[in-house]
Amino acid sequence: MSGGTASEESFRRPKVDVARLRRDAWYRRPRWRRLLGFVVAGLALAVVTGPQGAGSTALMSSLKATFTSVPRLGVCVGIGVLLWAVREFGAPLRAPARTAQDGVARGVAPLRRFYAAGVWPKLAVGALVLLAGAVIPNLLSPTWQVVFVEQMGVYLLLAVGLNVVIGWAGLLDLGFVAFYAVGAYSVAFWTGSLPVQPPVVLNPFVVIPIAVLTCLAAGLLLGTPTLRLRGDYLAIVTLGFHEIVYLVAKNADGFTGGSRGTTKMIPHPSIHLFGLDYNWMFDPLPYWYLILAFTAILVVLFSRLENSRIGRAWTAVREDEVAAQASGLNTVRYKLMAFAIGASTSGLAGVVYASKVGFINPDNFPLLASILVLSYVIFGGMGSIAGVLVGTALLTLLPQWLKSYVPAEDRYMYLGGLLVAMMIFRPQGVIPSRRRQREIKLAESGVGGADATGAAGGTTS
Amino acid sequence: MSESEPPLLELDRLEVSYGAIRALRGISVAVRRGEVVALLGANGAGKTTTLRTVSGLLKPRSGGVLFRGERIDGVPAHHVVALGIAHAPEGRRVFPVMSVLENLRMGAYRFRGGARREDLDRVFGLFPRLAERRTQLAGTLSGGEQQMLAIGRALMARPELLLLDEPSMGLAPMVVRQIFEIVREINQQGTTVLLVEQNAAQALRLATRGYVLETGAVVMEETAEVLLRDDRVRAAYLGEGAA
Ligand SMILES: Nc1ncnc2c1ncn2[C@@H]1O[C@H](COP(=O)(O)OP(=O)(O)O)[C@@H](O)[C@H]1O
Ligand SMILES: [Mg+2]
């Protein structure tokens, strides 16, 4: 109110009913808000499992069918309300939990304690997961086995790699899949499946180290001039890098085969060593074991890194680069290291994928793939290897599972809904890292913001 | 201290620019072993630039930085720390999501074996408030405590020379006095201090000598008592006129 005198101002000031402002609307109280949440979840379940529309008119009629078929709607919403009631009024049955997070935390606490008690429990859990990973795919139908390899498996490798870059070093890399493409094209080149012929034709297995080194070099090449940038700027640079790789693959016809991709089939990997002869062939299962082995090795390596001097340096750089420099850290070197490690992991995934599917073209490496890996990492819990693995597994298997309920083109809508809900109710992810949990807590108590690339703000004044 | 010994730190006609902006126009500063030297100046005078050049974050355009008589300009920042110069940067940068203890451990990053017990004990002895809060997240500390932590973290690198950039910034006079008292103690334990301040009154009570910086040039170099009594300093930095 510029120009007004004091008396005018007080005259104009609207009367504020402070008491009303202080009073929360009933639907804003946590309990009723949670009821709303459960009911909406019930409705979503009813829609997903209900009849599905195929066209625009059929959508309405299928929704109508869902909402008029009382049994389905009733059962689904009923389950929601029941869960809510148990949660809200089942208090005497168990120790009171103040919030959903509290409740979950209490349930998980003994597990967590067991898990945190030294290295043996971790190894035991790891062995168990590995065993499950080895056995379960055997029991699945071939379709699911393919999903395990080409969707989940490849993305597990990608996510574990991206976690190093963004989860630990805090570098927002949106072009992560570019390195995946470089890895895939490396294997295509060295096996002689591109229009240009390599000096020697190699077995995909032998190409692995070459592809990994190529991606490492590409990572260093891109990282060296750009890693002085942070956050949004680095995101744009990596985005641009992805576009360059994609367009080169698409337009350098003589070298990459252009949009048609490989001209010959990339041979399957095979081993001929010490009398051992094995060819991976077409069956998905052997590839699954290959991926499982790689993932296990990377998980062990990376968790050792996380708890090393290097891991601590990454944390420091992520939280406050100026402070890290002042503490005597060579920040550029550590950022470069994380970037290159991520790039090589991505390249490894590319090799495995390319040698499984046999034919690749630029459209196997869309920008969307980078965004998907990023969302798996965030969904699972940035910075936590277990979280990233679980998140990727859930989100890559979910579309396949939804296939039997909803039309194929609708699947990503539900996936999107799940992501939105997750970020609202559990931004730290499925299995958050301790650090991430602290960051979000700090941000909630008003110290800085916990965005993807950094910790809560460095300075308070 | 013998006169023949070279100063611990010497800035020799140091010129630093940011692109076309000349931030330092050939300043010469000497800090002798055991001293507390104050570098005073208004906003934008070039104080932070000076410290950032000493700690290797900026390269001078001409002139040199000598530490123990040796040229160190051009040595990258992470090596400068290992030479024995620790920097508590402007705006008390702590690692907000690390605990007090983890912050201090980061300060000792240059030692491969990790933080040493006796260094931690020393810092906690100097700053009992940090000792009480060793598991608290640094981001939840008060401003004064964060400044203490930033200084403590710098000490963990066992510096011979401690660079402090405006430790009083945004803190209540009470807290500033406390912190400066501790800086005095740190100095008495044998660490040389180069203290950058706008708060000249407090800084000069602590310092042995002082330099006054104006738009990138040294305009005065005197002992603390002289500066405290100087009319121009009083007018410019002791609140008896506009800065
Ligand atoms: N990163 C930078 N880029 C360009 N100019 C800068 C930068 N940092 C400082 N300056 C300029 O250099 C001069 C000295 O700044 P600084 O050393 O921060 O002063 P002080 O610490 O004494 O307040 C100022 O004119 C400032 O605007
Ligand atoms: Mg400054």
mmCIF file of all heavy atoms in Angstrom, chain A residues 309 313 316 319-320 323-330 334 435 438-439 442 447 455-456 459-460, chain B residues 57 78 81 87 89 91-98 102 106 109 111-112 137 139-140 146 153:
data_model
loop_
_atom_site.group_PDB
_atom_site.id
_atom_site.type_symbol
_atom_site.label_atom_id
_atom_site.label_comp_id
_atom_site.label_asym_id
_atom_site.label_seq_id
_atom_site.Cartn_x
_atom_site.Cartn_y
_atom_site.Cartn_z
ATOM 1 N N ARG A 309 37.631 -43.395 2.016
ATOM 2 C CA ARG A 309 37.992 -41.974 1.933
ATOM 3 C C ARG A 309 37.289 -41.306 0.758
ATOM 4 O O ARG A 309 36.818 -40.175 0.851
ATOM 5 C CB ARG A 309 39.499 -41.874 1.683
ATOM 6 C CG ARG A 309 40.327 -41.536 2.876
ATOM 7 C CD ARG A 309 41.784 -41.687 2.508
ATOM 8 N NE ARG A 309 42.323 -40.483 1.860
ATOM 9 C CZ ARG A 309 42.635 -39.373 2.517
ATOM 10 N NH1 ARG A 309 42.440 -39.300 3.809
ATOM 11 N NH2 ARG A 309 43.128 -38.331 1.884
ATOM 12 N N ALA A 313 34.727 -38.199 0.699
ATOM 13 C CA ALA A 313 34.999 -37.009 -0.108
ATOM 14 C C ALA A 313 33.776 -36.662 -0.956
ATOM 15 O O ALA A 313 33.405 -35.493 -1.080
ATOM 16 C CB ALA A 313 36.212 -37.257 -0.994
ATOM 17 N N ALA A 316 31.261 -34.911 1.126
ATOM 18 C CA ALA A 316 31.668 -33.545 1.426
ATOM 19 C C ALA A 316 31.422 -32.631 0.223
ATOM 20 O O ALA A 316 30.862 -31.544 0.356
ATOM 21 C CB ALA A 316 33.139 -33.519 1.831
ATOM 22 N N GLU A 319 27.801 -31.902 -0.159
ATOM 23 C CA GLU A 319 27.175 -31.037 0.835
ATOM 24 C C GLU A 319 27.621 -29.594 0.733
ATOM 25 O O GLU A 319 26.821 -28.683 0.915
ATOM 26 C CB GLU A 319 27.461 -31.563 2.240
ATOM 27 C CG GLU A 319 26.582 -32.732 2.567
ATOM 28 C CD GLU A 319 26.603 -33.050 4.034
ATOM 29 O OE1 GLU A 319 26.829 -32.148 4.848
ATOM 30 O OE2 GLU A 319 26.384 -34.229 4.359
ATOM 31 N N ASP A 320 28.895 -29.377 0.533
ATOM 32 C CA ASP A 320 29.367 -28.006 0.411
ATOM 33 C C ASP A 320 30.734 -28.013 -0.240
ATOM 34 O O ASP A 320 31.731 -28.365 0.379
ATOM 35 C CB ASP A 320 29.440 -27.325 1.782
ATOM 36 C CG ASP A 320 29.663 -25.823 1.641
ATOM 37 O OD1 ASP A 320 30.442 -25.412 0.752
ATOM 38 O OD2 ASP A 320 29.076 -25.064 2.410
ATOM 39 N N ALA A 323 33.446 -25.701 1.347
ATOM 40 C CA ALA A 323 33.987 -26.260 2.579
ATOM 41 C C ALA A 323 34.890 -27.445 2.271
ATOM 42 O O ALA A 323 35.910 -27.642 2.928
ATOM 43 C CB ALA A 323 32.851 -26.684 3.508
ATOM 44 N N ALA A 324 34.520 -28.217 1.259
ATOM 45 C CA ALA A 324 35.335 -29.379 0.896
ATOM 46 C C ALA A 324 36.703 -28.918 0.403
ATOM 47 O O ALA A 324 37.732 -29.474 0.791
ATOM 48 C CB ALA A 324 34.628 -30.204 -0.169
ATOM 49 N N GLN A 325 36.708 -27.884 -0.418
ATOM 50 C CA GLN A 325 37.983 -27.346 -0.900
ATOM 51 C C GLN A 325 38.818 -26.842 0.258
ATOM 52 O O GLN A 325 40.018 -27.095 0.333
ATOM 53 C CB GLN A 325 37.728 -26.189 -1.857
ATOM 54 C CG GLN A 325 37.620 -26.624 -3.290
ATOM 55 C CD GLN A 325 37.329 -25.464 -4.197
ATOM 56 O OE1 GLN A 325 36.776 -24.442 -3.776
ATOM 57 N NE2 GLN A 325 37.689 -25.604 -5.445
ATOM 58 N N ALA A 326 38.158 -26.130 1.167
ATOM 59 C CA ALA A 326 38.883 -25.569 2.304
ATOM 60 C C ALA A 326 39.452 -26.678 3.178
ATOM 61 O O ALA A 326 40.428 -26.475 3.876
ATOM 62 C CB ALA A 326 37.967 -24.661 3.120
ATOM 63 N N SER A 327 38.823 -27.858 3.156
ATOM 64 C CA SER A 327 39.334 -28.966 3.956
ATOM 65 C C SER A 327 40.429 -29.723 3.230
ATOM 66 O O SER A 327 40.869 -30.771 3.699
ATOM 67 C CB SER A 327 38.205 -29.933 4.305
ATOM 68 O OG SER A 327 37.139 -29.244 4.909
ATOM 69 N N GLY A 328 40.836 -29.216 2.080
ATOM 70 C CA GLY A 328 41.969 -29.833 1.404
ATOM 71 C C GLY A 328 41.589 -30.951 0.458
ATOM 72 O O GLY A 328 42.406 -31.819 0.160
ATOM 73 N N LEU A 329 40.352 -30.976 -0.021
ATOM 74 C CA LEU A 329 39.955 -31.999 -0.988
ATOM 75 C C LEU A 329 40.132 -31.479 -2.405
ATOM 76 O O LEU A 329 39.786 -30.333 -2.689
ATOM 77 C CB LEU A 329 38.469 -32.357 -0.803
ATOM 78 C CG LEU A 329 38.124 -33.456 0.180
ATOM 79 C CD1 LEU A 329 38.405 -32.980 1.595
ATOM 80 C CD2 LEU A 329 36.671 -33.817 0.035
ATOM 81 N N ASN A 330 40.604 -32.355 -3.259
ATOM 82 C CA ASN A 330 40.676 -32.021 -4.673
ATOM 83 C C ASN A 330 39.299 -32.313 -5.272
ATOM 84 O O ASN A 330 39.037 -33.396 -5.797
ATOM 85 C CB ASN A 330 41.757 -32.871 -5.331
ATOM 86 C CG ASN A 330 41.999 -32.461 -6.762
ATOM 87 O OD1 ASN A 330 41.250 -31.663 -7.315
ATOM 88 N ND2 ASN A 330 43.038 -33.007 -7.349
ATOM 89 N N TYR A 334 37.484 -35.702 -7.437
ATOM 90 C CA TYR A 334 36.491 -36.642 -6.916
ATOM 91 C C TYR A 334 35.217 -36.630 -7.751
ATOM 92 O O TYR A 334 34.580 -37.660 -7.950
ATOM 93 C CB TYR A 334 36.188 -36.341 -5.445
ATOM 94 C CG TYR A 334 37.331 -36.756 -4.554
ATOM 95 C CD1 TYR A 334 38.098 -35.822 -3.872
ATOM 96 C CD2 TYR A 334 37.670 -38.098 -4.434
ATOM 97 C CE1 TYR A 334 39.170 -36.211 -3.090
ATOM 98 C CE2 TYR A 334 38.735 -38.494 -3.654
ATOM 99 C CZ TYR A 334 39.479 -37.548 -2.985
ATOM 100 O OH TYR A 334 40.544 -37.947 -2.222
ATOM 101 N N ARG A 435 21.927 -40.718 5.184
ATOM 102 C CA ARG A 435 22.248 -39.322 4.912
ATOM 103 C C ARG A 435 21.074 -38.592 4.272
ATOM 104 O O ARG A 435 20.741 -37.474 4.616
ATOM 105 C CB ARG A 435 23.471 -39.280 4.001
ATOM 106 C CG ARG A 435 24.089 -37.937 3.878
ATOM 107 C CD ARG A 435 25.523 -38.046 3.431
ATOM 108 N NE ARG A 435 26.338 -38.825 4.336
ATOM 109 C CZ ARG A 435 26.799 -38.345 5.489
ATOM 110 N NH1 ARG A 435 26.518 -37.124 5.860
ATOM 111 N NH2 ARG A 435 27.542 -39.095 6.268
ATOM 112 N N ARG A 438 18.473 -37.765 6.741
ATOM 113 C CA ARG A 438 18.834 -36.586 7.521
ATOM 114 C C ARG A 438 18.612 -35.319 6.708
ATOM 115 O O ARG A 438 18.120 -34.323 7.229
ATOM 116 C CB ARG A 438 20.304 -36.641 7.897
ATOM 117 C CG ARG A 438 20.677 -37.659 8.934
ATOM 118 C CD ARG A 438 22.169 -37.813 8.811
ATOM 119 N NE ARG A 438 22.805 -38.313 10.008
ATOM 120 C CZ ARG A 438 24.127 -38.249 10.185
ATOM 121 N NH1 ARG A 438 24.890 -37.693 9.269
ATOM 122 N NH2 ARG A 438 24.677 -38.722 11.269
ATOM 123 N N GLU A 439 18.996 -35.333 5.433
ATOM 124 C CA GLU A 439 18.833 -34.155 4.585
ATOM 125 C C GLU A 439 17.388 -33.717 4.557
ATOM 126 O O GLU A 439 17.068 -32.545 4.682
ATOM 127 C CB GLU A 439 19.261 -34.469 3.145
ATOM 128 C CG GLU A 439 20.724 -34.285 2.886
ATOM 129 C CD GLU A 439 21.123 -34.787 1.508
ATOM 130 O OE1 GLU A 439 20.257 -34.857 0.620
ATOM 131 O OE2 GLU A 439 22.306 -35.123 1.336
ATOM 132 N N LEU A 442 16.311 -32.242 7.837
ATOM 133 C CA LEU A 442 16.819 -30.878 7.979
ATOM 134 C C LEU A 442 15.995 -29.907 7.143
ATOM 135 O O LEU A 442 15.626 -28.826 7.603
ATOM 136 C CB LEU A 442 18.278 -30.806 7.520
ATOM 137 C CG LEU A 442 19.352 -30.909 8.583
ATOM 138 C CD1 LEU A 442 20.704 -30.629 7.983
ATOM 139 C CD2 LEU A 442 19.076 -29.942 9.712
ATOM 140 N N VAL A 447 16.049 -25.902 7.362
ATOM 141 C CA VAL A 447 17.431 -25.590 7.021
ATOM 142 C C VAL A 447 17.677 -25.990 5.575
ATOM 143 O O VAL A 447 17.839 -27.150 5.247
ATOM 144 C CB VAL A 447 18.420 -26.347 7.929
ATOM 145 C CG1 VAL A 447 19.858 -25.959 7.585
ATOM 146 C CG2 VAL A 447 18.129 -26.040 9.381
ATOM 147 N N ALA A 455 22.937 -31.011 -0.492
ATOM 148 C CA ALA A 455 22.355 -31.184 0.817
ATOM 149 C C ALA A 455 21.577 -29.930 1.161
ATOM 150 O O ALA A 455 21.367 -29.067 0.326
ATOM 151 C CB ALA A 455 23.470 -31.398 1.816
ATOM 152 N N ALA A 456 21.164 -29.857 2.391
ATOM 153 C CA ALA A 456 20.549 -28.637 2.865
ATOM 154 C C ALA A 456 21.551 -27.513 2.696
ATOM 155 O O ALA A 456 22.746 -27.745 2.703
ATOM 156 C CB ALA A 456 20.174 -28.796 4.327
ATOM 157 N N THR A 459 24.892 -22.374 4.099
ATOM 158 C CA THR A 459 25.047 -21.296 5.053
ATOM 159 C C THR A 459 23.720 -20.951 5.698
ATOM 160 O O THR A 459 22.665 -21.050 5.099
ATOM 161 C CB THR A 459 25.551 -20.026 4.355
ATOM 162 O OG1 THR A 459 24.782 -19.841 3.179
ATOM 163 C CG2 THR A 459 26.999 -20.131 4.012
ATOM 164 N N THR A 460 23.795 -20.540 6.930
ATOM 165 C CA THR A 460 22.643 -19.952 7.592
ATOM 166 C C THR A 460 23.129 -18.628 8.128
ATOM 167 O O THR A 460 24.233 -18.535 8.622
ATOM 168 C CB THR A 460 22.165 -20.825 8.760
ATOM 169 O OG1 THR A 460 23.301 -21.098 9.579
ATOM 170 C CG2 THR A 460 21.557 -22.106 8.272
ATOM 171 N N LEU B 57 43.021 -21.034 -4.068
ATOM 172 C CA LEU B 57 41.774 -21.122 -4.829
ATOM 173 C C LEU B 57 41.787 -20.159 -6.014
ATOM 174 O O LEU B 57 41.043 -20.335 -6.966
ATOM 175 C CB LEU B 57 40.572 -20.833 -3.920
ATOM 176 C CG LEU B 57 40.374 -21.879 -2.818
ATOM 177 C CD1 LEU B 57 39.377 -21.405 -1.772
ATOM 178 C CD2 LEU B 57 39.920 -23.200 -3.414
ATOM 179 N N HIS B 78 44.317 -28.080 -2.591
ATOM 180 C CA HIS B 78 44.409 -29.253 -1.717
ATOM 181 C C HIS B 78 45.842 -29.528 -1.289
ATOM 182 O O HIS B 78 46.074 -30.191 -0.287
ATOM 183 C CB HIS B 78 43.780 -30.474 -2.382
ATOM 184 C CG HIS B 78 44.289 -30.772 -3.752
ATOM 185 N ND1 HIS B 78 43.829 -30.122 -4.863
ATOM 186 C CD2 HIS B 78 45.228 -31.636 -4.176
ATOM 187 C CE1 HIS B 78 44.455 -30.583 -5.930
ATOM 188 N NE2 HIS B 78 45.311 -31.491 -5.543
ATOM 189 N N VAL B 81 46.751 -26.928 1.772
ATOM 190 C CA VAL B 81 46.345 -27.393 3.098
ATOM 191 C C VAL B 81 47.438 -28.276 3.684
ATOM 192 O O VAL B 81 47.785 -28.163 4.859
ATOM 193 C CB VAL B 81 45.008 -28.166 3.018
ATOM 194 C CG1 VAL B 81 44.641 -28.718 4.386
ATOM 195 C CG2 VAL B 81 43.905 -27.254 2.505
ATOM 196 N N HIS B 87 42.094 -22.822 6.031
ATOM 197 C CA HIS B 87 41.244 -21.685 5.687
ATOM 198 C C HIS B 87 39.845 -21.943 6.236
ATOM 199 O O HIS B 87 39.228 -22.945 5.894
ATOM 200 C CB HIS B 87 41.228 -21.599 4.147
ATOM 201 C CG HIS B 87 40.499 -20.408 3.605
ATOM 202 N ND1 HIS B 87 40.479 -20.110 2.270
ATOM 203 C CD2 HIS B 87 39.767 -19.445 4.204
ATOM 204 C CE1 HIS B 87 39.765 -19.018 2.067
ATOM 205 N NE2 HIS B 87 39.325 -18.601 3.224
ATOM 206 N N PRO B 89 36.550 -20.550 5.581
ATOM 207 C CA PRO B 89 36.059 -19.606 4.572
ATOM 208 C C PRO B 89 34.942 -18.699 5.081
ATOM 209 O O PRO B 89 34.350 -18.946 6.131
ATOM 210 C CB PRO B 89 35.561 -20.506 3.441
ATOM 211 C CG PRO B 89 35.395 -21.857 4.024
ATOM 212 C CD PRO B 89 36.237 -21.941 5.242
ATOM 213 N N GLY B 91 31.489 -16.937 5.639
ATOM 214 C CA GLY B 91 30.128 -17.456 5.722
ATOM 215 C C GLY B 91 30.041 -18.811 6.386
ATOM 216 O O GLY B 91 29.132 -19.580 6.099
ATOM 217 N N ARG B 92 31.006 -19.114 7.271
ATOM 218 C CA ARG B 92 31.037 -20.351 8.057
ATOM 219 C C ARG B 92 30.425 -21.531 7.323
ATOM 220 O O ARG B 92 29.335 -22.006 7.637
ATOM 221 C CB ARG B 92 30.357 -20.154 9.410
ATOM 222 C CG ARG B 92 29.067 -19.345 9.385
ATOM 223 C CD ARG B 92 28.364 -19.373 10.713
ATOM 224 N NE ARG B 92 27.109 -18.672 10.638
ATOM 225 C CZ ARG B 92 26.982 -17.373 10.791
ATOM 226 N NH1 ARG B 92 28.050 -16.640 11.063
ATOM 227 N NH2 ARG B 92 25.802 -16.817 10.694
ATOM 228 N N ARG B 93 31.148 -22.000 6.331
ATOM 229 C CA ARG B 93 30.675 -23.147 5.571
ATOM 230 C C ARG B 93 30.951 -24.419 6.335
ATOM 231 O O ARG B 93 32.081 -24.856 6.427
ATOM 232 C CB ARG B 93 31.391 -23.211 4.216
ATOM 233 C CG ARG B 93 31.456 -21.914 3.478
ATOM 234 C CD ARG B 93 30.123 -21.473 2.999
ATOM 235 N NE ARG B 93 29.625 -22.283 1.915
ATOM 236 C CZ ARG B 93 29.468 -21.814 0.666
ATOM 237 N NH1 ARG B 93 29.786 -20.585 0.388
ATOM 238 N NH2 ARG B 93 28.992 -22.594 -0.257
ATOM 239 N N VAL B 94 29.909 -25.003 6.877
ATOM 240 C CA VAL B 94 30.063 -26.324 7.486
ATOM 241 C C VAL B 94 29.318 -27.319 6.612
ATOM 242 O O VAL B 94 28.532 -26.926 5.754
ATOM 243 C CB VAL B 94 29.500 -26.352 8.922
ATOM 244 C CG1 VAL B 94 30.318 -25.457 9.819
ATOM 245 C CG2 VAL B 94 28.033 -25.949 8.944
ATOM 246 N N PHE B 95 29.576 -28.604 6.802
ATOM 247 C CA PHE B 95 28.814 -29.617 6.081
ATOM 248 C C PHE B 95 27.513 -29.835 6.859
ATOM 249 O O PHE B 95 27.527 -30.431 7.931
ATOM 250 C CB PHE B 95 29.609 -30.912 5.967
ATOM 251 C CG PHE B 95 30.909 -30.740 5.244
ATOM 252 C CD1 PHE B 95 32.110 -30.837 5.910
ATOM 253 C CD2 PHE B 95 30.925 -30.462 3.883
ATOM 254 C CE1 PHE B 95 33.315 -30.674 5.245
ATOM 255 C CE2 PHE B 95 32.121 -30.291 3.207
ATOM 256 C CZ PHE B 95 33.319 -30.391 3.891
ATOM 257 N N PRO B 96 26.386 -29.334 6.322
ATOM 258 C CA PRO B 96 25.178 -29.249 7.144
ATOM 259 C C PRO B 96 24.611 -30.602 7.569
ATOM 260 O O PRO B 96 24.038 -30.714 8.650
ATOM 261 C CB PRO B 96 24.188 -28.517 6.235
ATOM 262 C CG PRO B 96 24.704 -28.688 4.854
ATOM 263 C CD PRO B 96 26.182 -28.809 4.975
ATOM 264 N N VAL B 97 24.783 -31.625 6.741
ATOM 265 C CA VAL B 97 24.141 -32.901 7.066
ATOM 266 C C VAL B 97 25.139 -33.870 7.703
ATOM 267 O O VAL B 97 24.872 -35.040 7.859
ATOM 268 C CB VAL B 97 23.462 -33.499 5.817
ATOM 269 C CG1 VAL B 97 22.465 -34.561 6.204
ATOM 270 C CG2 VAL B 97 22.725 -32.413 5.055
ATOM 271 N N MET B 98 26.304 -33.355 8.062
ATOM 272 C CA MET B 98 27.230 -34.170 8.838
ATOM 273 C C MET B 98 27.164 -33.718 10.295
ATOM 274 O O MET B 98 26.874 -32.555 10.575
ATOM 275 C CB MET B 98 28.660 -33.983 8.331
ATOM 276 C CG MET B 98 28.906 -34.549 6.957
ATOM 277 S SD MET B 98 30.672 -34.513 6.636
ATOM 278 C CE MET B 98 30.672 -34.626 4.862
ATOM 279 N N GLU B 102 31.750 -35.544 12.486
ATOM 280 C CA GLU B 102 32.071 -35.848 11.087
ATOM 281 C C GLU B 102 32.688 -34.633 10.392
ATOM 282 O O GLU B 102 33.602 -34.765 9.583
ATOM 283 C CB GLU B 102 30.811 -36.289 10.331
ATOM 284 C CG GLU B 102 30.342 -37.687 10.683
ATOM 285 C CD GLU B 102 28.963 -38.008 10.101
ATOM 286 O OE1 GLU B 102 28.065 -37.142 10.135
ATOM 287 O OE2 GLU B 102 28.790 -39.123 9.608
ATOM 288 N N MET B 106 36.373 -34.412 8.659
ATOM 289 C CA MET B 106 36.662 -33.958 7.293
ATOM 290 C C MET B 106 37.828 -32.988 7.295
ATOM 291 O O MET B 106 38.618 -32.935 6.359
ATOM 292 C CB MET B 106 35.456 -33.265 6.670
ATOM 293 C CG MET B 106 34.365 -34.158 6.102
ATOM 294 S SD MET B 106 34.889 -35.547 5.118
ATOM 295 C CE MET B 106 35.741 -34.736 3.790
ATOM 296 N N TYR B 109 41.109 -34.470 6.721
ATOM 297 C CA TYR B 109 41.109 -35.332 5.539
ATOM 298 C C TYR B 109 42.510 -35.553 4.982
ATOM 299 O O TYR B 109 42.807 -36.580 4.412
ATOM 300 C CB TYR B 109 40.216 -34.717 4.451
ATOM 301 C CG TYR B 109 39.925 -35.679 3.331
ATOM 302 C CD1 TYR B 109 38.913 -36.620 3.463
ATOM 303 C CD2 TYR B 109 40.671 -35.679 2.163
ATOM 304 C CE1 TYR B 109 38.647 -37.525 2.458
ATOM 305 C CE2 TYR B 109 40.413 -36.583 1.148
ATOM 306 C CZ TYR B 109 39.398 -37.503 1.307
ATOM 307 O OH TYR B 109 39.141 -38.406 0.316
ATOM 308 N N PHE B 111 45.158 -36.189 6.424
ATOM 309 C CA PHE B 111 45.893 -37.284 7.051
ATOM 310 C C PHE B 111 45.251 -38.599 6.648
ATOM 311 O O PHE B 111 44.078 -38.846 6.936
ATOM 312 C CB PHE B 111 45.868 -37.153 8.576
ATOM 313 C CG PHE B 111 46.425 -35.847 9.060
ATOM 314 C CD1 PHE B 111 45.619 -34.937 9.721
ATOM 315 C CD2 PHE B 111 47.758 -35.539 8.831
ATOM 316 C CE1 PHE B 111 46.134 -33.732 10.144
ATOM 317 C CE2 PHE B 111 48.274 -34.326 9.261
ATOM 318 C CZ PHE B 111 47.468 -33.427 9.916
ATOM 319 N N ARG B 112 46.009 -39.445 5.991
ATOM 320 C CA ARG B 112 45.444 -40.707 5.508
ATOM 321 C C ARG B 112 44.911 -41.550 6.664
ATOM 322 O O ARG B 112 43.957 -42.286 6.518
ATOM 323 C CB ARG B 112 46.484 -41.490 4.721
ATOM 324 C CG ARG B 112 46.901 -40.758 3.474
ATOM 325 C CD ARG B 112 47.205 -41.706 2.335
ATOM 326 N NE ARG B 112 46.867 -41.053 1.087
ATOM 327 C CZ ARG B 112 45.805 -41.364 0.350
ATOM 328 N NH1 ARG B 112 45.005 -42.335 0.732
ATOM 329 N NH2 ARG B 112 45.529 -40.718 -0.748
ATOM 330 N N LEU B 137 23.703 -32.544 14.123
ATOM 331 C CA LEU B 137 23.982 -32.175 12.738
ATOM 332 C C LEU B 137 24.418 -30.721 12.674
ATOM 333 O O LEU B 137 23.803 -29.854 13.306
ATOM 334 C CB LEU B 137 22.748 -32.370 11.855
ATOM 335 C CG LEU B 137 22.278 -33.805 11.649
ATOM 336 C CD1 LEU B 137 21.233 -33.861 10.550
ATOM 337 C CD2 LEU B 137 23.430 -34.727 11.332
ATOM 338 N N GLY B 139 24.089 -28.512 10.463
ATOM 339 C CA GLY B 139 23.083 -27.598 9.934
ATOM 340 C C GLY B 139 22.115 -27.099 10.993
ATOM 341 O O GLY B 139 21.433 -26.103 10.780
ATOM 342 N N THR B 140 22.038 -27.795 12.126
ATOM 343 C CA THR B 140 21.097 -27.371 13.165
ATOM 344 C C THR B 140 21.796 -26.584 14.267
ATOM 345 O O THR B 140 21.167 -26.230 15.263
ATOM 346 C CB THR B 140 20.401 -28.598 13.793
ATOM 347 O OG1 THR B 140 21.386 -29.401 14.433
ATOM 348 C CG2 THR B 140 19.695 -29.425 12.742
ATOM 349 N N GLN B 146 28.273 -22.744 14.562
ATOM 350 C CA GLN B 146 28.764 -23.117 13.235
ATOM 351 C C GLN B 146 30.113 -22.473 12.968
ATOM 352 O O GLN B 146 31.001 -23.086 12.385
ATOM 353 C CB GLN B 146 27.757 -22.704 12.151
ATOM 354 C CG GLN B 146 26.533 -23.590 12.132
ATOM 355 C CD GLN B 146 25.624 -23.315 10.952
ATOM 356 O OE1 GLN B 146 25.845 -22.391 10.178
ATOM 357 N NE2 GLN B 146 24.596 -24.117 10.825
ATOM 358 N N ARG B 153 37.245 -27.139 12.500
ATOM 359 C CA ARG B 153 37.536 -28.015 11.374
ATOM 360 C C ARG B 153 38.868 -27.621 10.721
ATOM 361 O O ARG B 153 39.672 -28.465 10.357
ATOM 362 C CB ARG B 153 36.411 -27.951 10.344
ATOM 363 C CG ARG B 153 36.499 -29.054 9.313
ATOM 364 C CD ARG B 153 35.447 -28.889 8.259
ATOM 365 N NE ARG B 153 35.539 -27.576 7.656
ATOM 366 C CZ ARG B 153 34.515 -26.924 7.110
ATOM 367 N NH1 ARG B 153 33.319 -27.470 7.104
ATOM 368 N NH2 ARG B 153 34.681 -25.736 6.586
#
